[in-house]
Amino acid sequence: MNKTKRAIIIFPQLGSNINLIQNIRNQYDFLAHKIAPHITLVFPFESDISSNELSQHVRNSLREFKSFKITMQRIIQEENYLFLKLTRGQKEIIEIHDLLYSRLLSGFLAKQHHYQPHLTVGRLKDSNAVKFAMNELKYFDYKFETKVDKITTEIILDDLSSKVDFEIKLK
């Protein structure tokens, strides 16, 4: 069986405000044209797990999970990445992350792993580029609020673009 590269993510539904984030991503993230703004729950992994098996795992893991609100505000830096920080909903997202990495996906979790929920807005080549970007974005203080009511599993194609494999609705 062929291995498929996937990730499990949240696509925040932010209406026209998504353009504020997308404009930054267009400037600082080479993946901006490959995938919409998202919060990664399960980082890219390659496996021969079928869509049915994975869908069942996600459904079982999240069967008691209800929809919840998130707020994102302020751009922060971690190494050569720029993140839109979550200020509300972190606890729930960490809980979903931990549930998804149980059982079927437990072998894909990095040993030295500290998960901090975020939405990536930049991937930069070096610290000078990061300093420049952070200076450009220091006044970016928009607040983004939305409700999370579905979890998406994507297939990552060879050109790094994304296509939806399936979505699971939360209660």
Side-chain angles (χ1 to χ4, degrees):
M1 187 178 234
N2 287 340
K3 291 190 178 224
T4 303
K5 190 169 189 175
R6 292 188 177 94
I8 303 176
I9 57 183
I10 295 168
F11 286 117
Q13 301 302 306
L14 299 167
S16 61
N17 285 338
I18 204 89
N19 290 334
L20 295 168
I21 296 168
Q22 192 60 27
N23 289 339
I24 294 171
R25 292 181 72 232
N26 288 342
Q27 191 170 356
Y28 298 112
D29 186 356
F30 70 92
L31 292 178
H33 301 293
K34 305 284 186 179
I35 183 172
H38 63 281
I39 299 166
T40 303
L41 297 165
V42 173
F43 293 95
F45 65 98
E46 214 168 319
S47 77
D48 56 6
I49 298 169
S50 72
S51 291
N52 285 342
E53 288 175 292
L54 188 56
S55 173
Q56 198 60 43
H57 168 70
V58 174
R59 281 181 206 288
N60 288 340
S61 298
L62 303 180
R63 70 179 167 267
E64 299 300 319
F65 224 91
K66 294 178 173 47
S67 61
F68 59 98
K69 293 187 189 282
I70 62 169
T71 303
M72 297 174 287
Q73 186 175 20
R74 216 176 97 235
I75 294 175
I76 60 171
Q77 163 203 351
E78 189 166 306
E79 296 176 8
N80 288 353
Y81 290 88
L82 303 179
F83 296 150
L84 184 57
K85 183 179 178 174
L86 265 85
T87 56
R88 178 182 181 191
Q90 282 188 320
K91 182 175 88 44
E92 292 90 342
I93 290 177
I94 290 170
E95 190 176 341
I96 290 173
H97 164 86
D98 292 348
L99 287 167
L100 292 174
Y101 270 115
S102 66
R103 298 179 306 281
L104 185 65
L105 299 180
S106 62
F108 295 100
L109 185 61
K111 299 284 185 252
Q112 302 291 351
H113 182 74
H114 171 72
Y115 178 66
Q116 187 63 42
H118 63 273
L119 189 148
T120 301
V121 295
R123 300 163 207 271
L124 301 155
K125 63 182 190 283
D126 58 40
S127 60
N128 287 334
V130 170
K131 283 180 194 166
F132 176 81
M134 287 300 290
N135 189 52
E136 290 283 306
L137 297 169
K138 66 184 169 194
Y139 299 112
F140 186 87
D141 197 33
Y142 294 94
K143 184 187 277 189
F144 302 93
E145 297 177 308
T146 189
K147 183 177 175 183
V148 173
D149 59 3
K150 67 182 169 187
I151 306 300
T152 303
T153 296
E154 65 162 349
I155 294 175
I156 302 167
L157 305 172
D158 290 339
D159 70 352
L160 299 180
S161 63
S162 166
K163 94 173 184 182
V164 172
D165 190 14
F166 60 86
E167 294 180 327
I168 303 294
K169 296 243 185 246
L170 300 177
K171 289 182 176 184

